[in-house]
Amino acid sequence: MKLALILNVIDPKIGGVMIMGDRGTGKSTTIRAIADLLPEIEVAADDLFNSHASNYDLMSDIIKQKIEQGINISTEFIKVPMIDLPLGATEDRLCGTIDIEKALNEGIKTFEPGLLAKANRGILYVDEVNLLDDHLVDILLDSSASGWNTVEREGISIRHPSRFVLVGSGNPEEGELRPQLLDRFGMHAEIRTVKDPSLRVQIVEQRSDFDKDPYSCIEKFEKRQCQLKSDIVLAQNRLSNVNIDYDLRVKISEICGLLNVDGLRGDIVTNRAAKAFAAYHNNDKVDVKDVKKVIKLCLRHRLRKDPLDTIDSGSKVTQVVDDILGSE
């Protein structure tokens, strides 16, 4: 789970993480904690959509118009947005709608941005994603596929960038996720309750220490957290120089073919995740070990479910990977 989140921070194009597991295993806590590891981003000042000041793909139409008119864009640095999508959210809250207060008081039609606007260039987190209403799932699918959100409301037509890392968590006992949405997640991690008694005691003690004195507990781990933050920033800068051999790319695609993975997302995500993992470990070239470390996270949720099959999808991926890449 932690590895999948870190790799998505290094390369957001991996496409997010789906984390399924038992209740009380720290899924939500871990996901919300990742926000503290993210470096600040530069955005256009007073912009509703966290627009980039020089990258056209990450700019709202308003900022583009200002640039075309020769207006100088002032910028500021902000923390990467971490937006929660509650299960009971309405479509208007997610997409944005007309600002009723301004319309009534001033007679002006203006757009009030929704959660997709606030999550641009950040993380959109959906807890209990398998319980999310179908109409909200459709909106998420559309915006995550195109990277844009289009709103047509009461005479207002707005289109703004909506590039976010989609992170979901849930308990498989509470229901399955729609295959279309599951396929949108770049990686899939399964969490099980720890069985080792000594490790369980360690977790309980750390939790008790935090409840007694949160500040000293944060201070205790601050040095390690700063080191992790620094490693992530270095990996982000190194990522564009990481290469993966043609032969290794062929083997990745061979594994996807043998597993009957639908489409090519599995190949693309595995290549990206392997590069991010190599960059994270200070390497400029992807090797077999890097691929083996990430491929199960990238493919386990993309396999077709056979109701008569008793083998776990993760085990099936491991078997094929060992056959193609070797079991060392």
Side-chain angles (χ1 to χ4, degrees):
M1 172 170 64
K2 285 160 69 177
L3 176 65
L5 288 166
I6 287 168
L7 295 181
N8 270 274
V9 169
I10 293 168
D11 185 4
K13 287 182 180 177
I14 288 170
V17 193
M18 177 70 214
I19 297 163
M20 295 294 266
D22 302 333
R23 293 179 291 273
T25 46
K27 300 186 295 293
S28 302
T29 306
T30 308
I31 292 162
R32 291 195 171 97
I34 204 76
D36 289 335
L37 297 175
L38 300 170
E40 290 187 335
I41 54 169
E42 189 178 13
V43 300
D46 304 320
D47 182 68
L48 299 171
F49 310 108
N50 304 326
S51 292
H52 200 288
S54 56
N55 186 338
Y56 251 56
D57 285 341
L58 300 172
M59 248 182 236
S60 66
D61 291 341
I62 299 160
I63 299 295
K64 284 178 186 173
Q65 285 167 12
K66 284 184 178 178
I67 288 172
E68 282 162 11
Q69 290 164 12
I71 298 168
N72 190 38
I73 306 293
S74 58
T75 62
E76 59 182 341
F77 283 88
I78 63 163
K79 279 191 78 172
V80 169
M82 174 90 178
I83 306 297
D84 274 285
L85 172 57
L87 291 179
T90 61
E91 192 176 319
D92 284 356
R93 185 73 192 99
L94 182 58
C95 295
T97 186
I98 193 166
D99 189 332
I100 299 294
E101 192 179 341
K102 265 198 174 178
L104 292 174
N105 293 342
E106 302 170 31
I108 303 168
K109 279 186 195 170
T110 52
F111 179 67
E112 186 179 338
L115 297 176
L116 289 177
K118 291 177 180 174
N120 187 38
R121 299 177 67 202
I123 296 170
L124 184 64
Y125 173 46
V126 191
D127 196 7
E128 307 295 350
V129 67
N130 44 343
L131 303 179
L132 197 65
D133 285 344
D134 277 356
H135 69 284
L136 295 182
V137 170
D138 291 335
I139 294 164
L140 280 181
L141 284 171
D142 186 45
S143 54
S144 67
S146 65
W148 290 85
N149 176 40
T150 306
V151 183
E152 302 286 348
R153 290 272 192 285
E154 292 84 25
I156 278 186
S157 179
I158 291 275
R159 181 174 174 266
H160 67 80
S162 185
R163 306 283 176 96
F164 50 82
V165 174
L166 185 60
V167 180
S169 66
N171 184 346
E173 292 172 7
E174 291 166 356
E176 289 291 321
L177 199 63
R178 271 173 61 178
Q180 302 97 309
L181 184 58
L182 188 58
D183 188 52
R184 289 286 171 199
F185 287 97
M187 304 178 95
H188 185 285
E190 282 192 12
I191 309 302
R192 294 278 170 263
T193 307
V194 174
K195 301 294 183 202
D196 179 17
S198 58
L199 194 53
R200 289 173 80 120
V201 168
Q202 190 184 332
I203 293 165
V204 172
E205 283 176 350
Q206 279 191 0
R207 176 72 221 194
S208 301
D209 290 347
F210 182 81
D211 289 340
K212 277 183 208 162
D213 189 353
Y215 295 106
S216 66
C217 197
I218 290 166
E219 207 172 280
K220 184 179 170 185
F221 292 98
E222 191 175 9
K223 192 176 179 184
R224 280 160 65 183
Q225 181 149 317
C226 288
Q227 181 60 51
L228 181 53
K229 210 176 201 175
S230 165
D231 290 345
I232 287 169
V233 173
L234 288 171
Q236 285 174 331
N237 295 333
R238 193 181 295 113
L239 185 63
S240 58
N241 299 321
V242 176
N243 294 311
I244 181 164
D245 282 344
Y246 177 75
D247 291 343
L248 198 48
R249 292 204 300 269
V250 169
K251 283 183 177 177
I252 289 168
S253 293
E254 190 181 344
I255 290 164
C256 293
L258 286 169
L259 289 166
N260 292 320
V261 173
D262 288 336
L264 294 169
R265 280 204 188 102
D267 307 53
I268 293 166
V269 169
T270 305
N271 276 273
R272 282 180 178 157
K275 283 183 177 181
F277 187 79
Y280 182 50
H281 284 85
N282 203 10
N283 296 320
D284 290 330
K285 191 176 179 183
V286 175
D287 65 19
V288 173
K289 286 179 186 172
D290 299 331
V291 175
K292 290 177 81 169
K293 193 76 180 172
V294 301
I295 197 163
K296 189 156 59 165
L297 288 166
C298 300
L299 298 183
R300 70 190 313 163
H301 58 302
R302 302 180 193 278
L303 307 191
R304 292 182 184 180
K305 294 281 187 291
D306 182 353
L308 301 174
D309 208 348
T310 54
I311 195 165
D312 171 56
S313 56
S315 309
K316 199 185 286 186
V317 173
T318 306
Q319 280 180 11
V320 174
V321 168
D322 287 347
D323 289 345
I324 303 296
L325 298 178
S327 55
E328 293 158 22

